[in-house]
Amino acid sequence: MSTTSFFCFGPEDSYISKSFAGLTYHVHSQSLHQLLTSGTVGEVHWASLGPIIESWVLSYKSVSGGNRIVRGVSTPPILRILLDTATPGPHFRCFLGPDHSFIAWSPNFIRWNNLPLDLEVCLQSWLTPAGWKAGPPQLVTWGSSSTFFALSTYGEIAYKFALSMSLEMKWPIFQETVEEWNAEGAFEWSDLAYISLDATTEDQFIAIRNDGTWAGSIEDTASETLEGFALNFFRLYKPRSKSKAGINTNGGTSNSNNNSNTNTQTPSPNQNGTLNNGTPHPPATTPPSQTHLRTLYDQWNKDTTSRLAAAIPIPNPPSNPRTRTPKKLQVRNQN
């Protein structure tokens, strides 16, 4: 059984994800959807979605027991030729990017095409005539504007954040996450378990560390999906339940040390205003009326509302609001 978890972003808010919670997906490709619902796919090993709807790759074990690699009709032509002759198996990996770019590897081969220049230079520097100097790639992912992240098997990393023509950062949330993790003295990038960048939408990504810390960015409506993947990446997530005291039928808190045979009696007052044990009986007090309490509450509520309203600053509207803003999600160690 394959225990590999992955999350792949696709065009128009599509995705395909596998974790210990199972396989989930929202895909626009009719051919991929038909394959996933055909009943012939037994276990998905790996999947990748390209920026074009019919550009996709699915590696799986069929219900009949054989491994297969299937791809969409718009998958890059060079990759289609490669996949038609590749030996399928659970260790096959493939990543698709903008402009028909891709990288694919298995224990028997590695091939890439049209990668961002800096990413290709990085991979070439890891590879020497004698073999992999820094180890073969473990994770390679890139998005629009040549933003990328690469991690080798030996823990070597390379990444780049793209700038716009006005030198504004195009992936600010991703950059912020990398800088925050770099600032942690005890963190090493070899402890990165998984990372994936969106090839179609800027600043959408997911990154997970071996200690359970994760960070991601996605538009608001899909935040629960991304969070569910991160929480179930290593194992099936079980929410921690807080211990609660048992409640008895009388509305009080039950105590396991109580003896059911114990009969506790309360001393009753006698006619002279003292309890039977000699303690003076407390004088009776008249509780405030409901009208008086309501008046006090209304005054307190009015004063509190006024003070809170005065303390809240009025934000200035953005000069150029985005219709879809990725939402940053970050959770510290959940193990």
Side-chain angles (χ1 to χ4, degrees):
M1 176 180 178
S2 174
T3 57
T4 301
S5 296
F6 62 84
F7 189 100
C8 183
F9 298 91
E12 301 177 17
D13 298 329
S14 60
Y15 66 87
I16 184 167
S17 167
K18 180 188 175 185
S19 68
F20 279 83
L23 183 73
T24 60
Y25 54 86
H26 172 63
V27 295
H28 300 303
S29 166
Q30 293 185 0
S31 58
L32 178 56
H33 184 268
Q34 290 174 358
L35 176 60
L36 291 170
T37 58
S38 64
T40 61
V41 177
E43 180 184 0
V44 173
H45 298 313
W46 191 261
S48 184
L49 300 176
I52 304 173
I53 289 179
E54 289 299 333
S55 176
W56 54 267
V57 176
L58 187 72
S59 171
Y60 67 95
K61 183 177 182 179
S62 67
V63 293
S64 61
N67 292 315
R68 296 197 62 192
I69 300 176
V70 184
R71 40 77 175 175
V73 295
S74 297
T75 304
I78 298 177
L79 180 59
R80 293 204 303 264
I81 297 173
L82 176 66
L83 296 181
D84 289 344
T85 59
T87 301
H91 302 294
F92 169 80
R93 297 290 180 267
C94 179
F95 299 86
L96 300 172
D99 303 321
H100 297 287
S101 58
F102 73 87
I103 185 171
W105 70 78
S106 76
N108 302 320
F109 75 90
I110 182 169
R111 184 73 180 271
W112 65 76
N113 186 61
N114 211 30
L115 296 179
L117 179 59
D118 291 338
L119 175 56
E120 184 164 3
V121 170
C122 164
L123 295 177
Q124 293 285 6
S125 69
W126 291 352
L127 182 62
T128 68
W132 289 100
K133 178 178 65 175
Q138 179 173 319
L139 291 168
V140 180
T141 180
W142 63 101
S144 60
S145 308
S146 300
T147 296
F148 73 86
F149 191 100
L151 171 68
S152 79
T153 305
Y154 298 164
E156 293 285 333
I157 67 163
Y159 54 82
K160 178 183 177 181
F161 310 116
L163 296 174
S164 66
M165 296 297 293
S166 59
L167 301 182
E168 293 180 353
M169 186 58 59
K170 288 191 173 184
W171 289 67
I173 300 177
F174 176 54
Q175 179 184 9
E176 179 185 74
T177 299
V178 172
E179 291 175 349
E180 286 179 357
W181 289 4
N182 275 332
E184 297 181 21
F187 175 68
E188 298 289 344
W189 284 104
S190 57
D191 294 327
L192 185 69
Y194 185 77
I195 186 170
S196 178
L197 306 184
D198 192 332
T200 62
T201 303
E202 291 179 354
D203 219 13
Q204 292 199 154
F205 71 96
I206 177 68
I208 304 175
R209 293 165 23 173
N210 286 326
D211 65 358
T213 299
W214 65 274
S217 175
I218 199 168
E219 57 96 14
D220 201 29
T221 58
S223 59
E224 291 186 3
T225 300
L226 196 66
E227 182 177 5
F229 166 74
L231 294 177
N232 291 282
F233 182 85
F234 295 104
R235 64 187 65 86
L236 187 62
Y237 176 69
K238 296 181 180 179
R240 297 176 182 176
S241 58
K242 297 181 180 179
S243 59
K244 298 180 180 179
I247 305 300
N248 61 31
T249 56
N250 295 325
T253 302
S254 65
N255 189 333
S256 59
N257 294 327
N258 287 343
N259 190 330
S260 59
N261 295 323
T262 301
N263 183 17
T264 304
Q265 296 181 344
T266 303
S268 58
N270 56 27
Q271 294 181 352
N272 61 7
T274 62
L275 299 176
N276 289 335
N277 59 5
T279 304
H281 188 274
T285 58
T286 302
S289 66
Q290 293 295 326
T291 302
H292 181 62
L293 290 175
R294 182 67 187 181
T295 301
L296 292 176
Y297 172 78
D298 290 342
Q299 183 62 40
W300 170 84
N301 186 38
K302 181 179 179 181
D303 294 342
T304 302
T305 302
S306 299
R307 287 194 295 268
L308 287 175
I312 298 175
I314 300 176
N316 295 322
S319 57
N320 185 22
R322 294 178 57 181
T323 57
R324 292 176 62 251
T325 302
K327 176 182 179 181
K328 182 177 182 182
L329 310 169
Q330 183 156 326
V331 173
R332 294 300 174 186
N333 197 333
Q334 289 294 299
N335 286 342

mmCIF file of all heavy atoms in Angstrom, residues 132-149:
data_model
loop_
_atom_site.group_PDB
_atom_site.id
_atom_site.type_symbol
_atom_site.label_atom_id
_atom_site.label_comp_id
_atom_site.label_asym_id
_atom_site.label_seq_id
_atom_site.Cartn_x
_atom_site.Cartn_y
_atom_site.Cartn_z
ATOM 1 N N TRP A 132 25.073 12.143 -9.010
ATOM 2 C CA TRP A 132 24.434 13.251 -8.303
ATOM 3 C C TRP A 132 25.315 13.719 -7.152
ATOM 4 O O TRP A 132 25.477 13.016 -6.163
ATOM 5 C CB TRP A 132 23.071 12.827 -7.771
ATOM 6 C CG TRP A 132 22.040 12.632 -8.835
ATOM 7 C CD1 TRP A 132 21.628 11.449 -9.367
ATOM 8 C CD2 TRP A 132 21.309 13.656 -9.501
ATOM 9 N NE1 TRP A 132 20.679 11.666 -10.332
ATOM 10 C CE2 TRP A 132 20.458 13.017 -10.437
ATOM 11 C CE3 TRP A 132 21.279 15.045 -9.421
ATOM 12 C CZ2 TRP A 132 19.598 13.715 -11.266
ATOM 13 C CZ3 TRP A 132 20.414 15.749 -10.241
ATOM 14 C CH2 TRP A 132 19.590 15.092 -11.150
ATOM 15 N N LYS A 133 25.869 14.923 -7.288
ATOM 16 C CA LYS A 133 26.725 15.479 -6.240
ATOM 17 C C LYS A 133 25.918 15.802 -4.983
ATOM 18 O O LYS A 133 26.394 15.606 -3.857
ATOM 19 C CB LYS A 133 27.407 16.747 -6.758
ATOM 20 C CG LYS A 133 28.285 17.451 -5.734
ATOM 21 C CD LYS A 133 28.957 18.667 -6.336
ATOM 22 C CE LYS A 133 27.932 19.723 -6.723
ATOM 23 N NZ LYS A 133 28.570 20.970 -7.207
ATOM 24 N N ALA A 134 24.717 16.322 -5.163
ATOM 25 C CA ALA A 134 23.867 16.689 -4.029
ATOM 26 C C ALA A 134 22.714 15.713 -3.848
ATOM 27 O O ALA A 134 21.798 15.975 -3.076
ATOM 28 C CB ALA A 134 23.323 18.104 -4.217
ATOM 29 N N GLY A 135 22.766 14.618 -4.562
ATOM 30 C CA GLY A 135 21.661 13.674 -4.509
ATOM 31 C C GLY A 135 20.610 14.029 -5.544
ATOM 32 O O GLY A 135 20.494 15.188 -5.958
ATOM 33 N N PRO A 136 19.842 13.066 -5.993
ATOM 34 C CA PRO A 136 18.786 13.345 -6.972
ATOM 35 C C PRO A 136 17.694 14.211 -6.357
ATOM 36 O O PRO A 136 17.586 14.324 -5.134
ATOM 37 C CB PRO A 136 18.264 11.948 -7.325
ATOM 38 C CG PRO A 136 18.606 11.108 -6.145
ATOM 39 C CD PRO A 136 19.885 11.651 -5.600
ATOM 40 N N PRO A 137 16.876 14.842 -7.185
ATOM 41 C CA PRO A 137 15.795 15.683 -6.648
ATOM 42 C C PRO A 137 14.832 14.877 -5.786
ATOM 43 O O PRO A 137 14.508 13.731 -6.096
ATOM 44 C CB PRO A 137 15.100 16.209 -7.907
ATOM 45 C CG PRO A 137 16.095 16.064 -9.000
ATOM 46 C CD PRO A 137 16.906 14.862 -8.658
ATOM 47 N N GLN A 138 14.407 15.491 -4.719
ATOM 48 C CA GLN A 138 13.372 14.898 -3.873
ATOM 49 C C GLN A 138 12.046 15.621 -4.066
ATOM 50 O O GLN A 138 10.995 14.987 -4.152
ATOM 51 C CB GLN A 138 13.788 14.964 -2.401
ATOM 52 C CG GLN A 138 12.752 14.393 -1.439
ATOM 53 C CD GLN A 138 13.276 14.327 -0.022
ATOM 54 O OE1 GLN A 138 14.435 13.974 0.215
ATOM 55 N NE2 GLN A 138 12.441 14.674 0.943
ATOM 56 N N LEU A 139 12.112 16.953 -4.133
ATOM 57 C CA LEU A 139 10.930 17.769 -4.390
ATOM 58 C C LEU A 139 11.321 18.897 -5.332
ATOM 59 O O LEU A 139 12.302 19.600 -5.084
ATOM 60 C CB LEU A 139 10.370 18.356 -3.091
ATOM 61 C CG LEU A 139 9.738 17.381 -2.091
ATOM 62 C CD1 LEU A 139 9.503 18.073 -0.758
ATOM 63 C CD2 LEU A 139 8.428 16.827 -2.632
ATOM 64 N N VAL A 140 10.575 19.064 -6.394
ATOM 65 C CA VAL A 140 10.790 20.166 -7.329
ATOM 66 C C VAL A 140 9.424 20.740 -7.678
ATOM 67 O O VAL A 140 8.537 20.010 -8.126
ATOM 68 C CB VAL A 140 11.507 19.705 -8.618
ATOM 69 C CG1 VAL A 140 11.697 20.890 -9.562
ATOM 70 C CG2 VAL A 140 12.847 19.066 -8.292
ATOM 71 N N THR A 141 9.251 22.029 -7.463
ATOM 72 C CA THR A 141 7.969 22.660 -7.757
ATOM 73 C C THR A 141 8.201 24.102 -8.163
ATOM 74 O O THR A 141 9.114 24.759 -7.660
ATOM 75 C CB THR A 141 7.028 22.565 -6.535
ATOM 76 O OG1 THR A 141 5.774 23.184 -6.846
ATOM 77 C CG2 THR A 141 7.630 23.221 -5.309
ATOM 78 N N TRP A 142 7.410 24.592 -9.085
ATOM 79 C CA TRP A 142 7.564 25.961 -9.560
ATOM 80 C C TRP A 142 6.202 26.498 -9.976
ATOM 81 O O TRP A 142 5.273 25.753 -10.292
ATOM 82 C CB TRP A 142 8.564 26.037 -10.710
ATOM 83 C CG TRP A 142 8.173 25.297 -11.957
ATOM 84 C CD1 TRP A 142 7.650 25.816 -13.107
ATOM 85 C CD2 TRP A 142 8.273 23.879 -12.181
ATOM 86 N NE1 TRP A 142 7.410 24.836 -14.028
ATOM 87 C CE2 TRP A 142 7.790 23.631 -13.492
ATOM 88 C CE3 TRP A 142 8.713 22.801 -11.415
ATOM 89 C CZ2 TRP A 142 7.734 22.354 -14.031
ATOM 90 C CZ3 TRP A 142 8.654 21.528 -11.952
ATOM 91 C CH2 TRP A 142 8.176 21.313 -13.243
ATOM 92 N N GLY A 143 6.106 27.822 -9.937
ATOM 93 C CA GLY A 143 4.856 28.469 -10.298
ATOM 94 C C GLY A 143 5.077 29.514 -11.368
ATOM 95 O O GLY A 143 6.063 29.473 -12.116
ATOM 96 N N SER A 144 4.167 30.456 -11.436
ATOM 97 C CA SER A 144 4.284 31.515 -12.428
ATOM 98 C C SER A 144 5.439 32.446 -12.078
ATOM 99 O O SER A 144 5.930 32.470 -10.945
ATOM 100 C CB SER A 144 2.978 32.310 -12.483
ATOM 101 O OG SER A 144 2.702 32.888 -11.220
ATOM 102 N N SER A 145 5.885 33.187 -13.067
ATOM 103 C CA SER A 145 6.931 34.205 -12.879
ATOM 104 C C SER A 145 8.246 33.612 -12.389
ATOM 105 O O SER A 145 9.014 34.280 -11.693
ATOM 106 C CB SER A 145 6.455 35.287 -11.901
ATOM 107 O OG SER A 145 5.206 35.807 -12.284
ATOM 108 N N SER A 146 8.505 32.347 -12.717
ATOM 109 C CA SER A 146 9.785 31.687 -12.416
ATOM 110 C C SER A 146 10.048 31.493 -10.930
ATOM 111 O O SER A 146 11.187 31.244 -10.529
ATOM 112 C CB SER A 146 10.954 32.468 -13.043
ATOM 113 O OG SER A 146 10.817 32.532 -14.449
ATOM 114 N N THR A 147 9.036 31.614 -10.092
ATOM 115 C CA THR A 147 9.198 31.271 -8.680
ATOM 116 C C THR A 147 9.311 29.757 -8.552
ATOM 117 O O THR A 147 8.532 29.018 -9.152
ATOM 118 C CB THR A 147 7.998 31.776 -7.865
ATOM 119 O OG1 THR A 147 7.970 33.200 -7.911
ATOM 120 C CG2 THR A 147 8.086 31.324 -6.418
ATOM 121 N N PHE A 148 10.289 29.272 -7.776
ATOM 122 C CA PHE A 148 10.463 27.827 -7.663
ATOM 123 C C PHE A 148 11.066 27.465 -6.316
ATOM 124 O O PHE A 148 11.595 28.311 -5.591
ATOM 125 C CB PHE A 148 11.347 27.281 -8.794
ATOM 126 C CG PHE A 148 12.808 27.623 -8.664
ATOM 127 C CD1 PHE A 148 13.674 26.832 -7.909
ATOM 128 C CD2 PHE A 148 13.330 28.740 -9.304
ATOM 129 C CE1 PHE A 148 15.022 27.144 -7.795
ATOM 130 C CE2 PHE A 148 14.677 29.063 -9.194
ATOM 131 C CZ PHE A 148 15.524 28.260 -8.435
ATOM 132 N N PHE A 149 10.998 26.172 -6.012
ATOM 133 C CA PHE A 149 11.653 25.607 -4.834
ATOM 134 C C PHE A 149 12.095 24.202 -5.201
ATOM 135 O O PHE A 149 11.327 23.423 -5.769
ATOM 136 C CB PHE A 149 10.709 25.558 -3.633
ATOM 137 C CG PHE A 149 11.406 25.229 -2.336
ATOM 138 C CD1 PHE A 149 11.730 26.232 -1.446
ATOM 139 C CD2 PHE A 149 11.749 23.924 -2.018
ATOM 140 C CE1 PHE A 149 12.387 25.946 -0.260
ATOM 141 C CE2 PHE A 149 12.408 23.623 -0.838
ATOM 142 C CZ PHE A 149 12.728 24.638 0.046
#
